[in-house]
Amino acid sequence: MKNSRRLFLKSACALVVGASGYTVAQGPLGEAQQTTKKYALIHDETKCIGCDACSVACREVNNVPEGVTRLRIERKGPYGEYPEQYFRFTRHSCQHCEDTPCVKVCPTGAAYKDEATGIVSVDAWKCVGCQYCIAACPYQVRFINPVTKAADKCDFCKETRLKEGKLPACVSACPTQALTFGDLQDPDSQVVQVLKHTPNYRTKTELGTRPKLFRIGSQDGEVRL
Amino acid sequence: MSLFSKIAFCAVSISALLLLNIMPVKAEVNRLQINQDKCVKCHKRNGLMAGVHGNDALALTCQSCHGEKGKHPRQPSLIVGFSADSNTKVTAQVDSCSQCHEHDVLYQADWTHAVHSNKVGCANCHQLHSDSDPMMTLATEERSALCGKCHGITPKESDDEKL
Ligand code: SF4
Ligand code: SF4
Ligand code: SF4
């Protein structure tokens, strides 16, 4: 009885911590992790116009072959009556989960989370193409790259733009500044500021994945210029 | 429009398209019926129709889209203008195109029609007088860039690069 109660309390605490996710400005992993970065991305659906400039830029910069993609903007609608119609756009790409189902199932260690940045990546040369990670990812964002034959997905442009000290390609390409990228550990970063001041949500948090792709929910009506 | 005349209209449009593939030659354009219109006497440079809409088979006149001349050019008129500096209201411009093009059909062709229909004139993207409409051959990258022309908030060079 006592034991089961303790277990209950323990898991309840874990649940609360997990659910609160990144109550920004305070790193979820405490002091020990303060020197490392924890990159996150915000997609502001109230600003997104579904222009696909982000996915076009991603393909070009990261050399993603046709037929597969690291990033897709999902369009729902039209809502409302003609001529006052509008759509809702949601971003479909890796969420850079803190608790990574894809990494857990990878038998070769090809799928990994970079502890210095929090970015979830794939070591293409280690990947044997078993597709366990593709099956395990609850967000269905992984695919086999037809050229490298390895699992592939968004890596926050770790090997391309970040290496050059630049923002991810999609963030730079977005004409409406619907995307905000930055370090959750840095209380002055733009992501932290936006998350602090704007209601936001993440998807499938109930699975305990603790995704680092945040979304600002779309609203009814047209996107204002 | 009855179903039959709609089908006939489409058939004519398609054959017009096919015809025009071999027709953008200048001499041919000059010979088109629409370019014999008296408007062309003044509007030779900007008025000549080389596009699909000028095809004889469609039997469109300048007035079909631009409306009646009224007191133009001596006094103000209700002529529908489609250029960027036109005084014609966007809705009036769109109404002109909507005489033939139904909004749900346009939506099927491209979803962006649905969200611009009373905000942006068709001619902001489409060009009818030139021999081909740039929208018909728009590459994915160009298409995104076109959205950014109106929706872009900042000049791209400024703040985007630094991490
Ligand atoms: S979204 Fe999928 S691929 Fe990305 S870290 Fe989470 S489980 Fe892995
Ligand atoms: S962060 Fe980079 S890899 Fe990820 S979707 Fe954006 S452009 Fe593609
Ligand atoms: S570039 Fe920006 S506005 Fe365009 S689809 Fe992507 S997120 Fe939305």
Side-chain angles (χ1 to χ4, degrees):
Chain A
M1 186 65 191
K2 219 176 179 183
N3 263 350
S4 66
R5 188 163 155 215
R6 182 178 295 162
L7 198 68
F8 168 75
L9 282 175
K10 259 189 183 170
S11 44
C13 287
L15 201 72
V16 167
V17 171
S20 69
Y22 308 92
T23 39
V24 290
Q26 198 188 357
L29 296 184
E31 295 304 311
Q33 293 283 322
Q34 282 303 305
T35 49
T36 62
K37 290 187 186 313
K38 208 160 279 296
Y39 283 125
L41 184 71
I42 309 170
H43 181 222
D44 186 343
E45 295 165 5
T46 64
K47 289 185 183 163
C48 182
I49 55 166
C51 68
D52 279 332
C54 49
S55 46
V56 167
C58 174
R59 184 177 302 288
E60 192 186 311
V61 168
N62 297 301
N63 217 351
V64 182
E66 290 294 333
V68 289
T69 187
R70 291 180 170 196
L71 163 60
R72 193 158 50 76
I73 297 292
E74 235 166 41
R75 187 181 70 244
K76 279 206 191 116
Y79 298 99
E81 290 297 318
Y82 175 86
E84 296 293 345
Q85 290 177 302
Y86 62 93
F87 292 86
R88 294 181 194 278
F89 304 102
T90 40
R91 182 182 160 113
H92 195 80
S93 67
C94 175
Q95 326 271 315
H96 295 278
C97 309
E98 273 300 288
D99 190 74
T100 44
C102 55
V103 172
K104 280 186 190 154
V105 298
C106 178
T108 67
Y112 71 101
K113 188 168 98 200
D114 178 22
E115 288 306 331
T117 57
I119 295 175
V120 180
S121 271
V122 183
D123 253 339
W125 67 275
K126 282 189 195 166
C127 176
V128 290
C130 70
Q131 305 191 24
Y132 284 9
C133 59
I134 296 179
C137 169
Y139 300 94
Q140 301 185 328
V141 295
R142 303 180 72 105
F143 56 90
I144 295 291
N145 184 312
V147 176
T148 64
K149 310 287 183 215
D152 199 343
K153 61 168 203 68
C154 163
D155 64 353
F156 278 164
C157 290
K158 184 161 156 268
E159 302 303 326
T160 51
R161 300 272 298 186
L162 294 198
K163 265 196 178 157
E164 302 167 8
K166 292 177 178 171
L167 286 171
C170 54
V171 178
S172 293
C174 176
T176 66
Q177 297 190 349
L179 297 168
T180 309
F181 179 80
D183 181 9
L184 285 178
Q185 307 278 48
D186 172 6
D188 297 325
S189 70
Q190 213 190 338
V191 261
V192 171
Q193 292 307 316
V194 172
L195 291 178
K196 254 187 186 171
H197 297 118
T198 325
N200 58 79
Y201 74 102
R202 295 173 293 164
T203 54
K204 301 191 181 175
T205 44
E206 70 277 14
L207 300 177
T209 46
R210 294 152 69 208
K212 293 198 290 287
L213 172 57
F214 297 79
R215 304 151 190 276
I216 296 171
S218 55
Q219 289 170 353
D220 290 356
E222 67 169 300
V223 175
R224 304 260 167 221
L225 276 181
Chain B
M1 236 191 249
S2 74
L3 185 62
F4 175 74
S5 55
K6 257 187 200 164
I7 293 169
F9 182 81
C10 289
V12 169
S13 315
I14 291 163
S15 30
L17 257 173
L18 291 175
L19 253 178
L20 269 169
N21 264 342
I22 47 160
M23 277 191 63
V25 192
K26 197 150 185 245
E28 300 286 346
V29 169
N30 279 327
R31 236 176 274 150
L32 290 173
Q33 197 52 47
I34 197 168
N35 291 332
Q36 314 311 315
D37 198 291
K38 55 182 183 302
C39 306
V40 176
K41 282 183 186 152
C42 295
H43 294 278
K44 223 179 182 77
R45 202 164 49 82
N46 63 352
L48 228 51
M49 274 295 295
V52 171
H53 291 76
N55 191 269
D56 285 348
L58 289 175
L60 292 175
T61 64
C62 305
Q63 290 74 30
S64 309
C65 305
H66 292 282
E68 289 306 323
K69 168 176 165 301
K71 300 226 161 91
H72 172 84
R74 285 189 197 84
Q75 286 174 35
S77 68
L78 290 175
I79 285 184
V80 181
F82 298 94
S83 65
D85 54 1
S86 159
N87 289 329
T88 308
K89 274 197 185 132
V90 164
T91 42
Q93 293 183 35
V94 174
D95 282 349
S96 181
C97 306
S98 306
Q99 294 176 81
C100 299
H101 297 281
E102 287 170 18
H103 70 84
D104 45 351
V105 179
L106 294 178
Y107 165 62
Q108 295 302 333
D110 192 305
W111 66 269
T112 55
H113 285 122
V115 285
H116 291 113
S117 56
N118 58 356
K119 298 173 189 79
V120 182
C122 306
N124 276 44
C125 299
H126 294 282
Q127 279 172 32
L128 270 55
H129 281 234
S130 55
D131 61 5
S132 63
D133 175 6
M135 292 305 107
M136 296 300 156
T137 50
L138 204 61
T140 322
E141 303 80 26
E142 296 170 328
R143 189 191 144 94
S144 300
L146 188 67
C147 306
K149 274 195 178 168
C150 294
H151 289 275
I153 319 183
T154 43
K156 278 287 62 168
E157 299 74 52
S158 61
D159 61 331
D160 68 337
E161 298 297 295
K162 229 179 89 266
L163 178 59

